[in-house]
Amino acid sequence: LVSVSNSILAEDWAKIEANAKKEGALLVYSTTSRTAKAAKVFSAKHGIAVEVIRLKEQDLIQRAYQEAASGVQKVDMIVAEDWVAARELLANTGYFVNYVPPTARELFPKRHQNPLVLGYINRVFGYNTDKHSSGNPFKSVWDLTTDEFKGRVMIRDVAITGEHQNALTEWVRRSDELADAYQRRFGKPLVMTEANAGLEFIKRFLQNDPIIMTSDTKISKAVGAAGQENPPYGMFYVYSKHRDKALKDLRITDNRQVDPTLGYYYPIVLQLAAKAPHPNAAKMFMEYLGTIEGFAPWADSPGVYTPNPNQVPFEGDKPFSWWEKKMWYYDLDFAAANRGIVLDTWLKYAQR
C-alpha cells in the first residue's frame, strides 16, 4: 500500500490552498450522493468547482481501475466502499494513494487514518413495530433459519453487495462463536454439512427462502409499511434508512438483542489518485470532508459516524463506540482471502 500520510508533515498547507484555487476544479467518483451535497457547500465557500460522479461500489472500483491501467488521468479522488476490493485493485497497484490532511491527522485516531476513513456505516436487523409492539421478535441470528421466518426475511443480494461478502467472511472467521450462539439458542450442538458455521448459516438461511432484494431503500419500506398483518423482516440493511421514519410513516426499528452480533459496520474510504490532474484541490476537499461542517450531509441521519471526535450523535442514535462493541467488523486480509468462498456458497444455494 502506497501512502503519503507522513509526507504531510513537510507540506506547506497555505501553498496547497493557493495551488488548489489555481487548479480551480476537481473530479470525484463517489458511491454516495451526499458527497455532491458536501461539494456544493465546499465550492461556494472556496470557489473550486467539484464534479461528483456517483457510481455503485463495484462500478466505481472497476472504472477507476480501468482508467488508471489505461493511462487515463481524469479522476482526482474517490469516496469508496468495499475497501477489500478497492485496496486490491486501486491501492495495492499504486493507482491511488492514502493521504491524511491536517484535521484528520490531528483528530482522527491512527486506526482510522490508513486508509483514511470518511465515516463508518452500520447495517442492522430490523422489524415492524406495529406487528411487534412489545419488542424484539428474534434473539439469535439462527432464528432466521427456522420455519417461523421462512420466506419472510429480506436481504440485499450478497452477489451484488461486496460489503455483505466481506461481512460474512467474519462469520466464517468467527465460526466457533457462531456455533456457540446456535447451542445457546437450541440447546444442542450445531451439526454441519458445510466446512464451518459461517457457511452453514448461509446454506440454512438460503434454504429458508429469504426475499432477495436489490436495495436497502426497498427493504426498509417493505419492513416498515403500516397496516401489515405479516410484515417481512430486514437483515443487513443500512441503519441510516431510519431517517425516513417520520417522513414516510415507517413503522420500523432495529433489533438490539441479536446473538452474537447486531449486524456489521464498514468504512467509507477516501483515496487520492496517484496521478491526479488536480491534486491540491483534491487534498483541500479531503480536508474539508474531515471537518464537522464537511461531514454534515452524512450526519443528518442515524447510522453514519465520522472518526472526528467532535461529532454529536444523531438524535436517538448511539455513538459509534457503542455500536463498535455490539457489531462485528471484518478482518481485511481474511476477507480478501475468503470472500470468494462466501460468494460461491451463496450462489450455490441461492440458485437452487
Side-chain angles (χ1 to χ4, degrees):
L1 176 65
V2 178
S3 175
V4 292
S5 304
N6 295 326
S7 66
I8 191 172
L9 298 174
E11 286 187 318
D12 182 338
W13 189 254
K15 186 175 180 181
I16 287 174
E17 288 185 327
N19 288 335
K21 293 184 177 181
K22 289 179 183 178
E23 292 168 358
L26 72 147
L27 174 63
V28 183
Y29 293 164
S30 174
T31 56
T32 165
S33 61
R34 302 187 195 196
T35 304
K37 294 180 180 179
K40 184 177 181 179
V41 178
F42 172 85
S43 295
K45 185 173 185 177
H46 297 289
I48 298 171
V50 184
E51 180 183 1
V52 178
I53 296 178
R54 186 183 180 190
L55 299 162
K56 294 180 180 179
E57 58 190 51
Q58 298 307 316
D59 293 339
L60 184 153
I61 294 168
Q62 287 298 324
R63 179 168 174 173
Y65 171 75
Q66 290 169 2
E67 287 181 352
S70 301
V72 177
Q73 298 165 12
K74 292 173 56 179
V75 68
D76 295 291
M77 58 173 283
I78 55 172
V79 182
E81 300 175 29
D82 192 0
W83 177 240
V84 173
R87 182 180 67 162
E88 182 70 20
L89 290 177
L90 303 181
N92 289 351
T93 55
Y95 294 144
F96 285 78
V97 297
N98 196 58
Y99 178 78
V100 186
T103 292
R105 178 167 49 88
E106 179 183 353
L107 297 179
F108 289 17
K110 291 287 187 183
R111 62 196 176 95
H112 305 314
Q113 292 188 22
N114 193 3
L116 181 62
V117 175
L118 168 65
Y120 287 96
I121 308 290
N122 59 4
R123 289 180 175 269
V124 298
F125 299 92
Y127 62 91
N128 186 291
T129 53
D130 280 353
K131 175 68 175 180
H132 302 285
S133 57
S134 60
N136 301 318
F138 55 93
K139 300 293 179 67
S140 170
V141 297
W142 291 103
D143 283 324
L144 305 183
T145 68
T146 64
D147 288 342
E148 181 182 352
F149 292 88
K150 189 175 183 67
R152 299 184 62 196
V153 181
M154 289 184 163
I155 184 172
R156 193 171 188 261
D157 189 356
V158 170
I160 64 170
T161 312
E163 290 296 358
H164 282 6
Q165 296 169 33
N166 297 333
L168 288 171
T169 66
E170 190 68 5
W171 293 38
V172 171
R173 192 176 76 88
R174 300 170 74 162
S175 179
D176 289 347
E177 294 177 59
L178 200 58
D180 289 344
Y182 181 93
Q183 180 140 5
R184 283 192 295 271
R185 172 62 181 85
F186 298 109
K188 59 183 180 181
L190 174 65
V191 178
M192 297 183 289
T193 61
E194 293 294 325
N196 55 69
L199 300 182
E200 184 70 19
F201 176 87
I202 294 173
K203 181 196 77 172
R204 295 190 184 198
F205 178 69
L206 286 168
Q207 288 177 337
N208 214 34
D209 297 330
I211 305 166
I212 309 301
M213 304 292 284
T214 57
S215 83
D216 292 329
T217 299
K218 292 177 181 177
I219 293 173
S220 62
K221 286 181 178 179
V223 172
Q228 299 184 77
E229 184 175 345
N230 290 300
Y233 302 90
M235 177 178 176
F236 283 2
Y237 66 94
V238 288
Y239 182 45
S240 61
K241 295 300 176 184
H242 286 205
R243 70 179 180 269
D244 298 327
K245 286 203 296 187
L247 180 65
K248 298 179 180 178
D249 190 29
L250 297 180
R251 316 298 174 86
I252 191 172
T253 194
D254 61 298
N255 190 335
R256 298 191 180 180
Q257 294 182 3
V258 190
D259 184 27
T261 176
L262 300 189
Y264 74 91
Y265 63 91
Y266 66 94
I268 303 175
V269 170
L270 304 180
Q271 294 285 279
L272 178 69
K275 296 182 178 179
H278 311 97
N280 295 289
K283 290 177 180 180
M284 197 169 168
F285 188 47
M286 292 171 77
E287 159 66 14
Y288 178 72
L289 293 177
T291 66
I292 294 300
E293 178 184 318
F295 193 75
W298 287 270
D300 69 350
S301 70
V304 191
Y305 314 93
T306 172
N308 190 319
N310 295 320
Q311 181 188 20
V312 177
F314 186 82
E315 183 178 358
D317 197 1
K318 299 284 190 181
F320 179 64
S321 58
W322 186 90
W323 290 105
E324 199 173 12
K325 296 173 184 176
K326 305 283 187 179
M327 290 181 155
W328 286 359
Y329 186 43
Y330 48 81
D331 180 272
L332 290 171
D333 293 331
F334 189 88
N338 290 275
R339 62 186 272 167
I341 298 170
V342 164
L343 180 58
D344 287 347
T345 305
W346 177 270
L347 293 174
K348 175 182 175 182
Y349 292 104
Q351 291 171 353
R352 289 186 175 181

